[in-house]
């Protein structure tokens, strides 16, 4: 049996509803949110109301949908040519008109795909959009996406394992008391943020990132109006003054991903990826911009983790240079590589706050930082199964100075 197929066929994909930011009415979106927030006090307890306003407005002015059938490279100009080709193909797939229309359609689609490819290659950036870059590399190498094995554990089992990872095996030693300066009334880090601070922080947020528990995306934050931005600014300042944050900021959406080559029936085989609220990450960024300039000069030059201008490549270069210098003088260089298991899960919060207090000498900021780290909860998502788990972590930290 011989089947005749058209020369251009659409690609079918499963339906998944998502926001189409390219067709959003951002002007009406920002104006509507500004109007709704005009009489809402910017307090932590009102953050849930802020989330409801943004979510409702986004659904109203940002279209949601998914193209289940599309042709890559098909433009508005070639859509009419495609209709003519399909009509001619239904009448006679071997006629001269059908073949000519098919060749012209292929030529236009090929040119559109070429222009799109040149734009993609020109704008590719591994730093700001690594996901898009790796997707392009897989297309070039014709590499199939990694196969996802069915999980044989529940989300509750993975969550229980994460809680166990965060509990130390041995009793920790007593944390020494921080000696703060006598004058602790003035806090340099906890000074009120201004409009320039939050505007710069919003500009630095990375797009195309998954949302946290509030389902507010970076694109929605970056298109807020002046009233909404001022509302967030006052909210951040109130959080610093009252040493309190919205309850939703304490919750994290944890995506459990199976590690390559690991058994799917072991909860330890899953790597957790926590998604935080982008407004909370914006608040953290404003604090970091002030903290970095104060702490960075006090760190040892050999430390490269999470420092601007330093990376794993710089550490590798330093190590290689040290080995070469020793080789030239007839010395032997020995190295020790330590791989810490669950390093982030087992951080001693009390000692972390003690270290921050020693470096900054700011009692009020240590209180704010302790408020951000305590009573954290998470929700594990594993395939279609999900369960709210996670116990609050309580710790002692210095109270904010009045």
């Amino acid at each position: 049996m011989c089947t005749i197929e058209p020369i251009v066929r659409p690609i079918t994909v499963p339906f998944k509803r998502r926001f189409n930011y390219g067709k959003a009415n951002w002007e009406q979106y920002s104006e509507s949110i500004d109007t709704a927030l005009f009489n809402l006090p910017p307090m932590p307890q009102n953050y849930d109301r802020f989330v409801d306003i943004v979510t409702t407005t986004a659904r109203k002015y940002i279209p949601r949908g998914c193209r289940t059938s599309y042709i890559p490279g098909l433009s508005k100009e070639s859509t009419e040519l495609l209709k003519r080709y399909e009509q001619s193909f239904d009448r006679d797939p071997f006629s001269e008109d059908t073949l000519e229309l098919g060749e012209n359609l292929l030529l236009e689609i090929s040119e559109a795909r070429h222009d799109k490819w040149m734009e993609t290659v020109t704008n590719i950036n591994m730093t700001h959009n690594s996901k898009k870059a790796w997707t392009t590399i897989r297309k070039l190498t014709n590499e199939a996406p990694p196969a996802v094995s069915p999980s044989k554990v529940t989300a509750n089992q993975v969550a229980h394992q994460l809680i166990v990872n965060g509990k130390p095996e041995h009793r920790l030693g007593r944390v020494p008391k921080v000696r703060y300066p006598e004058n602790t009334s003035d806090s340099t880090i906890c000074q009120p943020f201004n409009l320039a601070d939050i505007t710069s922080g919003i500009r630095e947020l990375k797009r195309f990132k998954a949302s946290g528990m509030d389902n507010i995306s970076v694109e929605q934050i970056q298109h807020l109006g002046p009233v909404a931005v001022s509302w967030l600014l006052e909210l951040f300042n109130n959080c610093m003054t009252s040493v309190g944050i919205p309850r939703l900021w304490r919750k994290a959406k944890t995506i459990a991903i199976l590690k390559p080559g690991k058994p799917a029936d072991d909860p330890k085989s899953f790597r957790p990826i926590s998604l935080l609220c982008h407004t909370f990450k914006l608040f953290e960024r404003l604090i970091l911009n002030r903290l970095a300039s104060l702490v960075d000069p006090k760190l040892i030059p050999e430390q490269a983790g999470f420092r601007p201008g330093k990376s794993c490549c710089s550490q590798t270069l330093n190590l290689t240079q040290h080995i070469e210098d020793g080789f030239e003088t007839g010395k032997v260089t020995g190295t020790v590589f330590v791989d810490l298991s669950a390093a982030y899960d087992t951080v001693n919060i009390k000692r972390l706050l003690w270290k921050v207090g020693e470096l900054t000498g700011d009692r009020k900021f240590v209180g704010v930082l302790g408020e951000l780290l305590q009573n954290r909860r998470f929700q594990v998502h594993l395939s279609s199964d999900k369960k709210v788990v996670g116990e609050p972590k309580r710790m002692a930290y210095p109270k904010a100075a009045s």
Side-chain angles (χ1 to χ4, degrees), residues 256-329:
I257 299 179
L258 182 63
K259 300 177 182 178
K262 297 294 184 178
D265 56 349
D266 188 359
K268 298 180 181 180
S269 302
F270 290 84
R271 176 182 290 109
I273 298 179
S274 296
L275 304 178
L276 304 177
C277 298
H278 289 298
T279 50
F280 177 58
K281 294 166 69 174
L282 175 61
F283 180 56
E284 289 182 324
R285 181 176 293 274
L286 298 185
I287 296 177
L288 176 62
N289 291 339
R290 290 186 175 180
L291 182 64
S293 59
L294 183 63
V295 174
D296 191 75
K298 300 180 181 180
L299 300 179
I300 59 176
E302 290 79 11
Q303 181 175 339
F306 303 99
R307 298 183 69 182
K310 296 179 180 292
S311 64
C312 182
C313 295
S314 59
Q315 293 291 74
T316 305
L317 180 61
N318 293 336
L319 177 60
T320 304
Q321 186 64 43
H322 183 74
I323 295 175
E324 291 182 354
D325 294 342
F327 179 77
E328 292 179 356
T329 58

Side-chain angles (χ1 to χ4, degrees), residues 17 21 25 28 35 40 63 69 81 158 216 225-226 306 341 394:
R17 186 178 295 274
Y21 296 117
N25 188 347
Q28 291 293 331
T35 303
L40 183 66
S69 178
L81 183 59
V158 177
I216 297 180
F306 303 99
S341 177
R394 301 185 180 276

